[in-house]
Each structure stands twice: as C-alpha cells, then as structure tokens.
Amino acid sequence: MSIEIYNTPIKRKQQFSPLKKGRVGMYVCGITAYDMCHIGHARSMIIFDTIARFLRKKGYDLTYVRNFTDVDDKIIARANKGGITYQDVSEKYIEEFYTDMEILKVEKPDVEPKASEHIPEMIDMIAALIDKSFAYESGGSVYFNVSRFKGYGKLSSRKLEDMIAGARVDVDEAKKNPLDFALWKVSKTGEPWWKSPWSKGRPGWHIECSAMSTHYLGPTLDIHGGGRDLIFPHHENEIAQSEGTYGKPFVRYWIHNGFVTVNNDKMSKSLGNFLTIRELTKEIHPEVLRLFLLSRHYRSPIDFSRDAIHESRGALIRFYESLDRVFNSPCSATKPRLKNIIDGFNNKFDAAMSDDFNTAKAIGHIHEFTTEVNRTLNSNPEVAEDDVFALRAALSDVSNILGILEQEPAEFLDHIKHADLDKIGITDQEIEGLILNRDKARKARDFKAADEIRDNLKARGIILKDTPEGTVWERE
RNA sequence: GGCGGCAUAGCCAAGUGGUAAGGCGACGGUCUGCAAAACCGUUAUUCACCGGUUCAAAUCCGGUUGCCGCCUCCA
C-alpha cells in the first residue's frame, strides 16, 4: 500500500513518492542542548522515530538525519552563568538527551550532526547567498534579505506584506527589513567565535539546518520534520536559505507535529508547565508514555494529564494480558483459530499507518484485535501452532514500528504489578499471605471475613481476581 | 494588531463528498458465594452555531461564536 503524507505548505495529503526511487532522505530538527527535555520533545522524537521505523518497514532505504544545536544564545547564556564553556553545557545535555532516548526506545538516526562541527559549510552557504544578493553584510553580521526571496511565506501561508504590517519584532538598525534574519552574528566578548570573511562570529540559528541537511542529504530533501512551532520562522527561513543558494526545491514533504499541552496550554519552558522525560519515566513505564503519545494523531495537540496516562496504562495492560492468554493457551487446536483475525489486523494496521502515519487509528485496530482474540479464547482456549507463529510475526511488526509491546507479556505484567509496591507499603509476601487467609475464610464460607480482606486490599490499590487457577492479584 | 489551526457522545478520540472507528465511563446480561477480569448488549438520526453548493456534507464554500498556536527562544 502506498503512503500518503500530509504536506504542510499545501495543507492536504499527497501520495508519497521520494525523489530517488526506493530511497528516502529525512531531516528532523533536533534539540537545542541547554536543558533537560520535556515530553513535548519526547512527542516529536517518538513521532519521527515511528515514521522512520515505518518507512524502513515499507522497504525504503532511509537516511535519517537529526541535528543538535550546540551553539546558540541560550547555551551561551547558560555557560556564562555557570562559568563554564558552551561545550560543557551542550555536551552535558546531549548526554542527557541520549539517556532519555534510550529510556523511550527511540532509535538513533543515521547521522546526528552538531552545528559546531559544520561551520565551514555554513560559511560557504552564506558566501553564496551574498554572492547572489540574497544576503547582505552589516557591521560584521550577515542578514538574509527576505524581500529578495519571492517565495518567502509559502510554507506558513503568510504574505510578506501582511507580516511587515503586523510585525512585532523590534526594529534593528542593522537590518534593512524587520523580518530579515541573521545568517552570521558578530560575536560579543565572552561568546564563542569562528573566523569568517565578515567577522569573528557565530552562525545564526537557521543556517545550520540548511547547511547540514544539504551536506548529508543533498539540496532537496524528501522529508523534513519538526514541531509546529518551527514552521515560522525557522523552516520558512530554511527554505529561503536553501532555495536561495541552490535554486532547487528544498523539501518535498514537510511534516509537523502538534504540541503536548497541559490544560490545553502549550507545554513550554516559559509557561513553566513542563514535565521532563526523566522525572516522568521514573513513575511511568516508557511504553505507557509511547502509547499515550501515539494514541492521538501526530498533527493534533495532545493534552497531558494523569488520567490520560492512566488510561493508556490500562490499554497497554489490556493488550499484554490478551497476548499472555494466547501464549499460555494449549497449542492443541488442529486448525488455526486466530489466523484470520491476525491477517485482518495486519492489513488494517498497515492501512492506518500508510494513511499519513495514523497511529491513533492503528492503535484503535489493536483494541479491536484484542477484543476479537479474547472472544475467541473465551469460547475455547485452544490455539494452533500457526496461530502463535502468526501472532509473533504481527507483534514484531507492531513493536518494530510503534515501539510498544516489545516485552514478553508475563515480564511486562509482572513489572507493572510490582512497580512502586513499596509506596503502597506492602510486600508481595504480605499480599500472598492475605490471599491465603482469604482462601481459608472462603472455604469456611465466612464470606464476610473474606470480603473484608479483599476490600482492604482494594482500598490500597490491590485488586484480587478469583480465577479457575486460584486467586491472583493486580494493581489498580 | 497580522496570520494560521481546531470545535465529533459524560470523557478521550478516528474520520477531508456517500450516510458516525476505537477506548474509558455508565447501565443491563453471561460467569461468580459476591466481586474482579473477559465477553455480549445498550449508550451521537448526529458532528459548535447560521446560511450556501451538491443527488449526497462531520467532511466543500461564506459568516458567527469559542478555544489554541505562530509572529521573540521553542519539539
């Protein structure tokens, strides 16, 4: 099935067809390494990780590039404040980022370039832009002249005149037009600098992505991604720089993800309503977080709340419990009993993912699939060997693409069951002891005593289930 | 102020021209000592509101209201 992608500038889905058959170059804006990442960053990383995994699954030879901004005002500010170098700051937070990505099972892109390691490419590009009169030097800094680039605003659906009319940016004497943006900045005392034809300075933010994406993927990218907040001005500026330099279409498909919100406000540093990946994954299983972040369409906002996380946790447990049932079923059926269900699921899952990476719909299909499997097993617990094979294969596809359901069900369920048991203030042994006491009471038909034990445990978040194989317990 | 986006049941949510996926919750049922889990059934004649186009609209067009975002660093 062919893939459809919603392309930001034209605001509709298009059939995906890369520039070179079978090969895809994808560039995604990474982080500015000056602080710990929050779940807004996690969403973007997980979405593009999933897109990359799916493209590979579909057989594309993908080159995935994601940059690190390691020279920037905020990094420098942080370094100066702490009396350390900008490298100390960026290196620390790049390390922290890697730890986060490992926790979240985000696969490494093929190339992770750092801005500081590509200054010569940026200087070359800036020189070319000056040469073509798209840029001008002013007091040692270099600015891009937006009025010289006729397509300016095509990505974000803005007109240059409208933007000038409603401009809020401070008037800068050095600029010809308030919307002109810096390609090269003169370095002030205490700021890092590189030698250039214009001054001892440092690159503007936008030029790094144009220079590095071209360096690794060529002047035309198949896919360029990032958060919605990057559409303007960052990605708009990238187009101006790259198309100005090379005179070729910069990007074939622009993909932008929606924000993580809290009470419907964008999660951000300035609002102070952010939660870091690190603190969150201490209490929330990474697969729960992944499932939550993938359970809404990538372009929509997703509101973070404890309730929403709890719902995703419940859904993940439901999936794993159903899988556990299948893997514990006797392999004695002479004919496959789940094969049709699995085949149907595989097709629907692929169709959903092919339709603009609709993970929300794909997860809906996992729910339906789970219901169908449970229904089949309720009528008769037997399965055939082929069923188990087919399920393992389907499961491996899902986990390879979405990064959930990667664990053995029994292992996952056991983990969830015991996580933070100490917070409740009870041990495994104590619960088992209470279950034994309750069993005795039940055998003596003293249901009042038995129910009291169960109610007390329930009040502490422990649920007892009486099954044909005996009583088992779970966390609420 | 300029520009863009969104509005689907009690809640979350998919759905861009063909007659409303899925999940949570609630209620009824099977099962159970009673529960829990699982399953079955019920839960939007209707998609913020008003007009329009069309044989046909949640989906397209115009307007209104509300919310969010970008225009300054931002995933």
Side-chain angles (χ1 to χ4, degrees):
Chain A
M1 184 170 287
S2 66
I3 296 175
E4 299 260 314
I5 298 181
Y6 181 95
N7 201 355
T8 303
I10 60 164
K11 300 179 191 178
R12 58 184 161 77
K13 289 184 216 171
Q14 268 182 319
Q15 192 171 82
F16 177 61
S17 150
L19 193 61
K20 290 181 192 155
K21 199 171 183 308
R23 301 185 65 175
V24 177
M26 176 161 92
Y27 185 93
V28 174
C29 287
I31 57 154
T32 298
Y34 78 102
D35 204 349
M36 297 298 285
C37 288
H38 57 65
I39 55 171
H41 298 106
R43 185 182 196 198
S44 186
M45 298 310 145
I46 287 170
I47 283 165
F48 289 104
D49 178 48
T50 300
I51 289 174
R53 289 163 176 242
F54 185 65
L55 290 171
R56 291 211 165 94
K57 166 70 190 157
K58 296 297 275 186
Y60 287 106
D61 178 8
L62 173 74
T63 306
Y64 177 19
V65 181
R66 188 184 60 207
N67 72 303
F68 284 112
T69 297
D70 66 343
V71 197
D72 146 283
D73 290 354
K74 280 196 273 200
I75 296 170
I76 295 165
R78 194 136 184 160
N80 289 157
K81 201 176 156 194
I84 49 179
T85 67
Y86 80 94
Q87 289 101 325
D88 292 336
V89 174
S90 62
E91 278 166 21
K92 170 177 163 50
Y93 289 108
I94 286 170
E95 274 315 303
E96 297 287 11
F97 175 81
Y98 279 133
T99 304
D100 286 341
M101 294 304 107
E102 206 170 304
I103 292 170
L104 294 173
K105 302 269 177 63
V106 170
E107 291 178 359
K108 271 174 101 70
D110 300 284
V111 191
E112 297 178 275
K114 298 186 180 100
S116 67
E117 292 170 1
H118 294 272
I119 305 286
E121 289 91 327
M122 296 184 218
I123 290 174
D124 287 350
M125 202 163 181
I126 296 167
L129 285 168
I130 293 175
D131 212 41
K132 295 187 176 187
S133 310
F134 280 113
Y136 55 91
E137 190 257 320
S138 174
S141 291
V142 181
Y143 297 93
F144 189 96
N145 186 341
V146 293
S147 62
R148 282 277 297 134
F149 184 71
K150 59 185 182 304
Y152 198 72
K154 65 182 175 182
L155 175 68
S156 51
S157 307
R158 293 162 203 230
K159 292 195 186 83
L160 193 56
E161 310 84 75
D162 292 344
M163 286 189 278
I164 293 167
R168 280 185 165 184
V169 285
D170 294 334
V171 181
D172 185 334
E173 292 297 310
K175 292 183 190 178
K176 291 182 180 170
N177 181 316
L179 291 161
D180 289 353
F181 56 92
L183 298 169
W184 188 260
K185 298 171 167 179
V186 165
S187 288
K188 300 187 197 92
T189 319
E191 291 180 348
W193 57 268
W194 285 262
K195 253 184 86 175
S196 81
W198 316 288
S199 63
K200 287 181 176 176
R202 57 197 174 94
W205 175 37
H206 314 291
I207 193 71
E208 66 176 82
C209 288
S210 285
M212 294 191 289
S213 63
T214 301
H215 183 78
Y216 292 102
L217 300 168
T220 300
L221 316 176
D222 290 306
I223 295 173
H224 188 139
R228 281 193 92 82
D229 45 2
L230 299 180
I231 294 174
F232 191 88
H234 185 53
H235 288 164
E236 198 69 73
N237 292 352
E238 283 184 43
I239 294 174
Q241 293 163 345
S242 289
E243 298 192 354
T245 306
Y246 299 105
K248 287 179 184 170
F250 178 43
V251 170
R252 295 166 62 78
Y253 303 89
W254 282 100
I255 301 180
H256 292 99
N257 65 274
F259 302 130
V260 174
T261 61
V262 178
N263 296 324
N264 289 321
D265 288 323
K266 179 188 174 186
M267 178 177 285
S268 69
K269 290 274 157 68
S270 45
L271 282 173
N273 59 351
F274 62 93
L275 290 154
T276 64
I277 296 169
R278 198 65 55 80
E279 54 190 329
L280 227 41
T281 49
K282 276 180 189 153
E283 45 179 315
I284 298 167
H285 188 104
E287 284 199 6
V288 171
L289 201 52
R290 267 191 96 109
L291 179 62
F292 166 68
L293 292 171
L294 292 172
S295 63
R296 271 72 157 175
H297 188 94
Y298 75 82
R299 272 186 278 115
S300 307
I302 180 168
D303 201 55
F304 177 87
S305 69
R306 297 285 158 175
D307 283 353
I309 290 290
H310 198 257
E311 192 174 320
S312 292
R313 176 181 174 275
L316 193 61
I317 291 171
R318 175 171 132 90
F319 299 157
Y320 271 120
E321 278 183 340
S322 179
L323 293 170
D324 197 42
R325 281 182 77 179
V326 178
F327 294 144
N328 287 316
S329 292
C331 257
S332 49
T334 48
K335 285 192 298 190
R337 303 188 62 237
L338 301 174
K339 193 71 169 45
N340 285 344
I341 299 171
I342 295 166
D343 289 346
F345 166 74
N346 285 150
N347 290 333
K348 286 190 247 178
F349 185 83
D350 182 66
M353 289 303 296
S354 299
D355 181 10
D356 195 28
F357 314 107
N358 196 332
T359 55
K361 196 193 244 181
I363 289 165
H365 292 315
I366 303 179
H367 270 110
E368 285 178 291
F369 171 75
T370 301
T371 302
E372 288 168 11
V373 167
N374 286 337
R375 183 195 301 148
T376 306
L377 261 40
N378 274 4
S379 70
N380 173 356
E382 290 176 285
V383 296
E385 232 169 67
D386 280 356
D387 291 329
V388 178
F389 274 132
L391 183 63
R392 285 281 180 197
L395 197 51
S396 132
D397 281 351
V398 170
S399 60
N400 284 338
I401 294 164
L402 299 182
I404 59 167
L405 303 175
E406 284 189 333
Q407 287 183 257
E408 277 304 309
E411 205 175 282
F412 173 86
L413 294 169
D414 194 62
H415 174 90
I416 285 283
K417 191 170 160 179
H418 292 96
D420 295 332
L421 208 52
D422 52 323
K423 271 192 191 159
I424 296 179
I426 196 162
T427 65
D428 212 336
Q429 291 72 22
E430 282 167 335
I431 297 169
E432 296 298 341
L434 289 167
I435 288 174
L436 278 177
N437 292 343
R438 177 166 168 273
D439 277 346
K440 281 182 204 154
R442 289 177 74 206
K443 289 219 175 75
R445 305 197 64 80
D446 181 359
F447 294 121
K448 191 166 171 270
D451 290 350
E452 199 178 316
I453 293 171
R454 187 174 61 197
D455 292 345
N456 286 342
L457 282 171
K458 179 157 196 313
R460 301 170 80 174
I462 308 285
I463 308 285
L464 298 188
K465 291 185 189 177
D466 296 324
T467 73
E469 292 80 37
T471 302
V472 296
W473 63 275
E474 290 183 349
R475 294 287 295 283
E476 198 163 26

